[in-house]
Amino acid sequence: MREATVTPSGDRIRWVELPGAEPARLYLHGLGASSPVYFAAAAAHPLLAGRRSLLLDLLGFGISDRPTDFGYTLEAHADAVAAAVRAAGPDRVEVVGHSMGGAVAIVLAHRHPALVSRLLLVDANLDAIALGRRRVGSSGIASYTETEFLGGGLAEAAERVGPFWWSTMRLAGPVALYRSALHLARGSEPVMRELLLRLDLPRTFLHPAADGPPQGVDALRAAGVRVVAVPDCGHNVMLDNPEGFASAAAEALNPD
């Protein structure tokens, strides 16, 4: 395990690092998740192994610190990740981001373009989300006020998300979980989709084939974003279909 101080208050981001060749790959998890849990098998898959890989937990989640005085906007997450990457030492990284991690990856590439050489987005959030208390995920959490969520909403969320997601969500700081969900639902400024369309680097968007093409697929492709359907999976593409994910990811990350 490695760590780096990423805020003036001394808060630390931590990651599990797999040795290998440069350019390094940075893996970013979704809301309430943890990169070592969600990405370890993928990073070690024969089609993807051999690269230096940083399986990083965003501030507030997993093995990273859980400050309560951090904003947890997508921009703040991206800046904290950038500080960790610079401390880790690679000149540039290929970023693999799942769900909220994909949204952070887009903002990271926009705000710190010199750090990011390639994006692989795994069913990532591209748009703001309408709030709904009955829905599982960021919109459901963000439908509470912070006081409501800390006072009882977290327990309700634990019942709704099920034991698998809760196994990593319970590691998150409650403030981090709430604020991250709120700002994910609100989106970045400009919104992630708009930033993605503007980026000048190789970009691939993986999505579950069962869901059909993502919204705005024609505009994504027109802007040079490769959109790839992965069969036999739901939102957690890399866990539901490890072989399908590894094959699609290797094609995106090893184009030669």
Side-chain angles (χ1 to χ4, degrees):
M1 184 182 72
R2 308 290 178 85
E3 64 179 15
T5 300
V6 296
T7 71
S9 301
D11 304 302
R12 298 177 182 182
I13 274 182
R14 298 181 179 88
W15 64 92
V16 170
E17 184 164 331
L18 306 179
E22 303 284 347
R25 287 184 183 147
L26 172 69
Y27 290 84
L28 300 178
H29 61 82
L31 182 72
S34 168
S35 287
V37 176
Y38 277 65
F39 281 118
H45 190 282
L47 291 175
L48 298 173
R51 289 289 189 87
R52 182 184 180 191
S53 298
L54 283 62
L55 281 62
L56 181 145
D57 279 346
L58 297 170
L59 204 61
F61 296 90
I63 56 176
S64 291
D65 285 354
R66 307 185 297 175
T68 58
D69 59 350
F70 188 71
Y72 294 104
T73 62
L74 292 172
E75 291 82 0
H77 274 304
D79 290 349
V81 170
V85 170
R86 291 189 177 101
D91 293 331
R92 304 189 81 189
V93 289
E94 301 173 340
V95 186
V96 182
H98 175 234
S99 196
M100 184 182 80
V104 173
I106 293 168
V107 178
L108 174 68
H110 169 68
R111 292 172 69 86
H112 304 275
L115 281 182
V116 180
S117 61
R118 188 180 299 269
L119 285 181
L120 175 60
L121 307 172
V122 187
D123 211 20
N125 298 70
L126 299 183
D127 302 298
I129 307 169
L131 303 187
R133 188 177 291 264
R134 294 184 179 274
R135 295 179 61 186
V136 173
S138 58
S139 64
I141 292 173
S143 67
Y144 296 91
T145 66
E146 185 168 322
T147 299
E148 289 172 340
F149 185 73
L150 299 180
L154 178 60
E156 294 175 5
E159 294 179 358
R160 288 199 301 268
V161 301
F164 181 85
W165 196 1
W166 182 246
S167 68
T168 54
M169 187 179 287
R170 64 191 175 91
L171 304 176
V175 170
L177 180 61
Y178 175 78
R179 292 180 185 170
S180 295
L182 178 67
H183 290 294
L184 179 61
R186 290 176 175 173
S188 59
E189 180 57 46
V191 74
M192 297 82 74
R193 180 181 298 274
E194 185 176 337
L195 297 179
L196 179 61
L197 294 175
R198 296 178 186 174
L199 290 173
D200 183 20
L201 76 170
R203 298 148 292 162
T204 300
F205 188 99
L206 305 186
H207 68 94
D211 290 352
Q215 179 182 349
V217 64
D218 291 341
L220 291 172
R221 287 175 171 152
V225 180
R226 293 180 65 248
V227 179
V228 179
V230 181
D232 304 321
C233 66
H235 179 57
N236 294 325
V237 180
M238 72 294 282
L239 300 178
D240 296 338
N241 184 353
E243 292 299 324
F245 172 79
S247 178
E251 184 176 355
L253 297 171
N254 304 316
D256 299 330

